[in-house]
């Protein structure tokens, strides 16, 4: 029913396969982890499965709240059936708290609250090293139209509100995150890619401890242990039962 077809795209941490239904794809989450424009690399056993469960749960929450996403179903840990999208080469970054590259580039204080949040758009392009864009450049490069950018901003703010609230209730602070959008077969702007500790900054809400890929970027702590902890906070035993998966 969900037979894996041919591999037609391989990213830094995921592979995309065709599906017998040409409007669908099968996304396989790999254990590879990279940082610094792909310069730092490793392979963390279990990371792909872990991120696929976290991403499935967060995409399900967004769908329940009426947002259109690529997610259809978790086939098995590490493997997600998704709608095929024509991806828009933007990294849409939302920041609730100043850290990371923002404080390197601008005079924000580390951990400074940013309210209303900042939405930043970077060009998803390895050759040009993902430079920050503005609306005029995006429109002139024909990456997206003005109305599409407005729609993407509106959806991103909504995603922030929904996920910040959910994560707060499991003890996680949503510091910042990166989204990728595409167009479905009808041309509708749809959330794609993944939402996981690889693409977000998650901090423990009371201690501000790092619970995401920054541990790998900085070479601190047991990254996989922390990813597993985050997975247990976000994915409930009930979710696992519903997906037909053994307890973690
Ligand atoms: P920063 O610009 O501070 O490095 O990252 C801001 C947020 O966007 C972080 O949550 C980070 O994980 C995410 N992010 C930015 N660029 C990328 C990228 O190229 N790949 C991934 N996986 N996440 C990114």
């Amino acid at each position: 029913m969900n037979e894996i077809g041919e591999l037609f795209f391989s990213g830094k941490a995921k592979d995309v396969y065709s599906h017998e239904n040409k409007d669908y794809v099968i996304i396989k989450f790999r254990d590879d982890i990279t940082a610094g424009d792909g310069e730092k690399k490793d392979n963390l056993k279990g990371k792909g499965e872990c991120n696929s469960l976290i991403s499935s749960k967060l995409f399900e929450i967004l769908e329940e709240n009426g947002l259109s996403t690529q997610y259809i179903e978790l086939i098995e840990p590490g493997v997600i059936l998704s709608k095929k999208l024509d991806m828009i080469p933007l990294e849409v970054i939302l920041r609730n708290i100043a850290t990371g590259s923002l404080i390197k580039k601008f005079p924000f204080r580390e951990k400074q609250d940013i309210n209303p949040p900042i939405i930043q758009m970077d060009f998803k392009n390895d050759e040009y090293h993902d430079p920050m864009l503005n609306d005029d450049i995006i429109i002139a490069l024909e990456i997206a139209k003005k109305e599409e950018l407005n729609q993407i901003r509106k959806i991103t703010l909504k995603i922030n509100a929904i996920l910040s609230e959910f994560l707060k209730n499991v003890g996680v602070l949503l510091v910042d995150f990166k989204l990728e959008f595409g167009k479905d077969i009808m041309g509708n702007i749809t959330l794609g890619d993944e939402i996981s500790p690889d693409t977000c900054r998650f901090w423990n809400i009371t201690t501000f401890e790092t619970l995401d890929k920054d541990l790998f970027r900085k070479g601190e702590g047991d990254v996989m242990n922390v990813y597993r902890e985050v997975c247990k906070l976000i994915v409930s035993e009930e979710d696992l039962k519903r997906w037909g998966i053994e307890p973690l």
Side-chain angles (χ1 to χ4, degrees):
M1 198 177 57
N2 280 318
E3 244 175 72
I4 292 187
E6 68 183 84
L7 175 71
F8 71 88
F9 177 77
S10 188
K12 291 196 187 87
K14 292 190 291 297
D15 291 328
V16 185
Y17 295 85
S18 57
H19 186 269
E20 59 190 348
N21 180 333
K22 65 172 178 40
D23 299 334
Y24 293 171
V25 290
I26 290 177
I27 302 181
K28 270 196 168 185
F29 286 62
R30 302 199 314 268
D31 289 341
D32 298 305
I33 185 162
T34 66
D37 236 354
E39 272 170 27
K40 189 172 178 181
K41 286 186 192 147
D42 205 349
N43 189 276
L44 302 176
K45 194 166 161 31
K47 193 205 66 147
E49 292 190 359
C50 193
N51 277 3
S52 74
L53 301 186
I54 295 170
S55 198
S56 292
K57 174 66 182 179
L58 298 178
F59 272 61
E60 283 183 358
I61 293 169
L62 297 176
E63 288 276 346
E64 281 160 19
N65 280 276
L67 288 166
S68 171
T69 80
Q70 180 176 33
Y71 175 85
I72 299 174
E73 65 173 5
L74 180 75
I75 298 174
E76 61 181 54
V79 186
I80 297 179
L81 178 66
S82 302
K83 289 174 210 159
K84 187 172 189 171
L85 299 184
D86 184 13
M87 295 304 290
I88 301 168
L90 289 176
E91 295 192 340
V92 180
I93 296 168
L94 183 142
R95 300 174 189 273
N96 292 308
I97 294 175
T99 189
S101 72
L102 192 74
I103 59 165
K104 292 201 183 101
K105 290 180 185 154
F106 303 102
F108 289 102
R109 277 177 288 108
E110 170 75 30
K111 297 194 176 63
Q112 183 179 334
D113 275 324
I114 304 176
N115 198 2
I118 290 172
I119 295 179
Q120 165 196 336
M121 304 218 186
D122 290 357
F123 188 23
K124 187 177 165 69
N125 187 307
D126 286 340
E127 192 187 338
Y128 288 88
H129 308 289
D130 301 351
M132 195 187 290
L133 299 170
N134 69 21
D135 284 17
D136 286 353
I137 300 174
I138 295 173
I139 293 161
L141 283 173
E142 298 183 5
I143 293 172
K145 298 193 182 82
K146 185 82 191 169
E147 313 80 71
E148 291 170 338
L149 290 178
N150 290 341
Q151 204 188 337
I152 286 173
R153 282 203 182 85
K154 221 165 126 183
I155 300 170
T156 301
L157 286 172
K158 200 165 166 195
I159 290 172
N160 184 46
I162 296 164
L163 295 187
S164 291
E165 179 65 19
F166 169 78
L167 290 166
K168 188 175 82 182
N169 290 327
V170 296
V172 175
L173 184 64
L174 183 57
V175 174
D176 57 29
F177 58 87
K178 183 260 305 174
L179 303 175
E180 293 183 28
F181 292 88
K183 288 183 191 167
D184 68 7
I185 46 164
M186 306 295 287
N188 299 314
I189 299 275
T190 304
L191 179 69
D193 196 50
E194 67 177 288
I195 305 180
S196 75
D198 271 8
T199 64
C200 303
R201 283 197 177 92
F202 293 144
W203 289 353
N204 177 305
I205 210 159
T206 41
T207 63
F208 285 9
E209 248 175 297
T210 297
L211 306 172
D212 58 65
K213 193 162 112 172
D214 268 354
L215 292 170
F216 175 71
R217 293 188 185 101
K218 295 176 185 166
E220 291 169 1
D222 184 339
V223 183
M224 213 36 243
N225 228 359
V226 172
Y227 272 47
R228 273 194 212 98
E229 284 307 310
V230 173
C231 192
K232 278 190 201 152
L233 291 173
I234 292 176
V235 176
S236 68
E237 290 193 6
E238 209 172 282
D239 295 322
L240 294 176
K241 213 179 281 171
R242 191 163 50 80
W243 291 330
I245 299 173
E246 295 290 314
L248 297 170

